[in-house]
Amino acid sequence: MHILFISLGCDKNLVDSEVMLGLINQKGYIMTNDENEADIIVVNTCCFINDAKEESINTILEMAELKKTANLKALIVTGCLAQRYKKEIKDEIPEVDAIVGTSSYENIVKVIEEALEGKTSESFEDIDVTPEVESKRVLTTGGYYSYLKIAEGCDKHCTYCIIPKIRGKFRSVPMERLIAEAKSLAEQGVKELMLVAQETTLYGVDLYGEKSLHKLLKELCKIEGIEWIRILYCYPEEITDDLIKVMKEEEKICNYLDMPIQHASDNVLKRMGRRTNRQELIDIVTKLRKEIPDISLRTTLITGFPGETREDHEQLLEFIDQMEFDRLGVFTYSPEEDTPAANMPDQIDEEIKEERKDELMTLQQEIAFEHAQNMVGRTLKVMIEGRLPEDNVYIGRTYMDAPNIDGYIFINAEHEIMSGDFVTVKVTGANDYDLTAEIVY
């Protein structure tokens, strides 16, 4: 039996997909990338914002057509959309044979076997359960970097976010399990670990009674083969002195933080249900740059939130101009049903949202170009990710660049370099986020 597995959404969802692939692989099924060859298709879905929801639904409908035109015998839907809209999927897309919730992915093999027997099924556990799976994940990231999901769920309940209702309350993965998983990843050739969760900075509060991310990082740094550790999804109000200290002390930890702030107007932050204000954001950014001068800070923003005035938007522009984040992304607000923000007055027109997004990104492009120009002449450690053979140029990433979301560095080299290797380069030029460099021999 051939299985096609489609993973949509965030890197946290990707970890669930890789766990399911491990279970499927252990059972002896054959994986395929050809939808016309597939006997079974699993779609691991996302529904965080409207665009993600539409992509998930369209993918399910597209795959459902293969029951008429190809070899497809069973179509299975898992993940966030499955958790949130199981009744709608069951009622409106009869081609779907099984629906699996966010905390039930460990049952994927059983669900597949039942579907092949012609049974329709649902698999839903309590959303506050954290599955424990012993099988080895199947890495889909190329083998040199991998995501390590250190916690599940969220307790923040921001007014725009549906995650607590489909992923449950915040719960940390025990440290011993994470260390064992990281060692297994290192044995498979992984050199860069990216720590992910809905909120990484609260790691351990539920298990150990205190924020323990710094303790986990110290243990991960001891693992042979791991050379870079990158921390994503840090809530600014939860960044501790202990975390800053371990970043300064441990060479393996990249001087990089992904710190989504969402806005910088006190009015909008309060309506969002965020736990920080503008001055506190300024204070933490200032502190991080003082303590770790070469730190690279990434953030994300939401523009067009209900009630956001032109003045609020101007305050955000001023803040971005003042803080000069190294990396920045902007989403237009997407009203999600069953969230408080969706029912707030003063919803913003889509056209205005897009205009404000464009203004923010235009400003950020200017900042990014200036930062890139300032990198010229610096010597950096780079992970090689591939090669452009026609140009004899290698593609890599610096500590400032997370895969798939940040920039690349293009390297001229006289000898062959293998993907996954680390090299030292000198930056020779810049273009927005992307840099050019030469090997330092």
Side-chain angles (χ1 to χ4, degrees), residues 160 195 197-201 230-240 243-244 247 255-264 269 274 276-289 295-302 316 319-320 323-329 331 402 405-406:
Y160 52 83
L195 274 52
Q198 199 61 35
E199 178 179 2
T200 55
T201 25
R230 189 180 301 276
I231 312 167
L232 305 181
Y233 311 121
C234 299
Y235 277 49
E237 69 271 21
E238 307 294 356
I239 294 172
T240 64
L243 176 58
I244 295 171
M247 290 183 69
N255 288 347
Y256 175 106
L257 276 183
D258 172 79
M259 188 177 66
I261 63 169
Q262 311 306 359
H263 214 281
L269 288 167
R274 301 291 290 181
T276 50
N277 59 39
R278 180 188 183 93
Q279 187 57 52
E280 288 167 342
L281 293 173
I282 292 171
D283 291 345
I284 187 60
V285 170
T286 303
K287 182 176 186 177
L288 285 166
R289 287 184 169 150
I295 195 167
S296 181
L297 295 178
R298 158 168 276 282
T299 196
T300 50
L301 307 172
I302 297 173
L316 181 55
F319 178 84
I320 298 308
M323 292 294 98
E324 293 193 354
F325 285 93
D326 302 274
R327 309 286 187 256
L328 184 147
F331 296 93
I405 55 173
D406 293 325

Side-chain angles (χ1 to χ4, degrees), residues 28-301:
Y29 288 103
I30 302 169
M31 304 309 300
T32 180
N33 290 322
D34 185 350
E35 61 188 35
N36 293 304
E37 183 183 43
D39 300 287
I40 306 147
I41 294 178
V42 181
V43 183
N44 194 19
T45 59
C46 176
C47 66
F48 182 58
I49 59 175
N50 191 58
D51 287 349
K53 193 186 308 179
E54 288 185 3
E55 180 186 24
S56 293
I57 293 168
N58 290 337
T59 301
I60 296 167
L61 293 172
E62 183 182 345
M63 296 303 107
E65 286 297 308
L66 296 173
K67 283 198 168 183
K68 304 173 186 175
T69 62
N71 198 40
L72 184 61
K73 299 177 179 64
L75 175 58
I76 297 163
V77 177
T78 70
C80 292
L81 189 84
Q83 182 73 43
R84 188 177 181 190
Y85 295 109
K86 59 183 176 182
K87 184 179 186 304
E88 289 83 352
I89 294 171
K90 183 178 179 180
D91 292 346
E92 299 177 25
I93 314 178
E95 294 89 349
V96 173
D97 299 283
I99 307 171
V100 180
T102 54
S103 58
S104 306
Y105 54 79
E106 62 184 352
N107 299 324
I108 189 64
V109 171
K110 178 185 176 184
V111 167
I112 288 172
E113 291 172 346
E114 290 177 349
L116 290 174
E117 292 172 1
K119 301 175 184 176
T120 57
S121 64
E122 298 178 6
S123 182
F124 289 88
E125 305 288 344
D126 186 326
I127 59 171
D128 291 327
V129 168
T130 304
E132 294 187 31
V133 179
E134 298 300 327
S135 67
K136 185 179 291 187
R137 281 163 55 186
V138 173
L139 298 181
T140 60
T141 52
Y144 309 113
Y145 68 87
S146 180
Y147 299 98
L148 184 68
K149 184 158 68 167
I150 66 172
E152 183 61 272
C154 185
D155 294 336
K156 294 292 191 185
H157 297 279
C158 299
T159 60
Y160 52 83
C161 184
I162 196 66
I163 291 298
K165 293 185 178 181
I166 55 179
R167 287 282 179 176
K169 64 183 181 182
F170 182 86
R171 51 210 190 274
S172 305
V173 178
M175 199 174 299
E176 59 271 19
R177 279 176 53 190
L178 292 173
I179 293 167
E181 184 177 0
K183 286 180 178 177
S184 174
L185 292 169
E187 289 167 1
Q188 295 177 67
V190 169
K191 298 180 180 180
E192 178 182 7
L193 283 179
M194 278 163 291
L195 274 52
V196 297
Q198 199 61 35
E199 178 179 2
T200 55
T201 25
L202 274 182
Y203 175 77
V205 291
D206 52 323
L207 293 180
Y208 311 117
E210 61 180 359
K211 297 176 190 175
S212 303
L213 180 58
H214 63 289
K215 295 179 181 179
L216 173 63
L217 286 164
K218 276 190 171 293
E219 294 303 313
L220 293 174
C221 285
K222 297 175 184 177
I223 298 174
E224 187 176 349
I226 300 299
E227 296 195 40
W228 275 357
I229 299 174
R230 189 180 301 276
I231 312 167
L232 305 181
Y233 311 121
C234 299
Y235 277 49
E237 69 271 21
E238 307 294 356
I239 294 172
T240 64
D241 289 343
D242 287 331
L243 176 58
I244 295 171
K245 184 172 183 287
V246 78
M247 290 183 69
K248 292 168 66 175
E249 291 176 348
E250 296 288 350
E251 290 186 6
K252 289 186 177 183
I253 302 174
C254 295
N255 288 347
Y256 175 106
L257 276 183
D258 172 79
M259 188 177 66
I261 63 169
Q262 311 306 359
H263 214 281
S265 158
D266 287 347
N267 169 52
V268 177
L269 288 167
K270 185 176 181 180
R271 291 168 70 89
M272 287 179 167
R274 301 291 290 181
R275 311 293 178 91
T276 50
N277 59 39
R278 180 188 183 93
Q279 187 57 52
E280 288 167 342
L281 293 173
I282 292 171
D283 291 345
I284 187 60
V285 170
T286 303
K287 182 176 186 177
L288 285 166
R289 287 184 169 150
K290 178 183 177 183
E291 295 292 329
I292 311 173
D294 65 341
I295 195 167
S296 181
L297 295 178
R298 158 168 276 282
T299 196
T300 50
L301 307 172

Side-chain angles (χ1 to χ4, degrees), residues 369-439:
F369 181 76
E370 181 180 346
H371 281 204
Q373 290 291 330
N374 291 337
M375 295 301 297
V376 176
R378 280 189 61 180
T379 300
L380 299 168
K381 181 180 178 181
V382 170
M383 175 190 275
I384 299 299
E385 288 206 336
R387 179 173 174 263
L388 300 175
E390 65 276 11
D391 299 321
N392 196 31
V393 170
Y394 289 88
I395 304 169
R397 288 185 294 108
T398 73
Y399 77 91
M400 300 176 289
D401 302 301
N404 301 319
I405 55 173
D406 293 325
Y408 290 99
I409 187 164
F410 297 88
I411 304 151
N412 294 307
E414 297 175 0
H415 66 277
E416 184 177 2
I417 313 171
M418 301 300 293
S419 294
D421 284 352
F422 284 91
V423 297
T424 301
V425 305
K426 184 174 182 179
V427 180
T428 56
N431 179 20
D432 290 341
Y433 284 157
D434 296 330
L435 305 173
T436 58
E438 293 180 349
I439 295 281

Side-chain angles (χ1 to χ4, degrees), residues 322-355:
Q322 179 184 356
M323 292 294 98
E324 293 193 354
F325 285 93
D326 302 274
R327 309 286 187 256
L328 184 147
V330 182
F331 296 93
T332 56
Y333 168 71
S334 172
E336 295 302 311
E337 57 187 317
D338 300 325
T339 62
N343 298 316
M344 286 181 178
D346 302 318
Q347 298 283 327
I348 307 296
D349 290 343
E350 291 300 322
E351 185 177 346
I352 295 175
K353 293 179 189 178
E354 291 294 338
E355 288 175 357

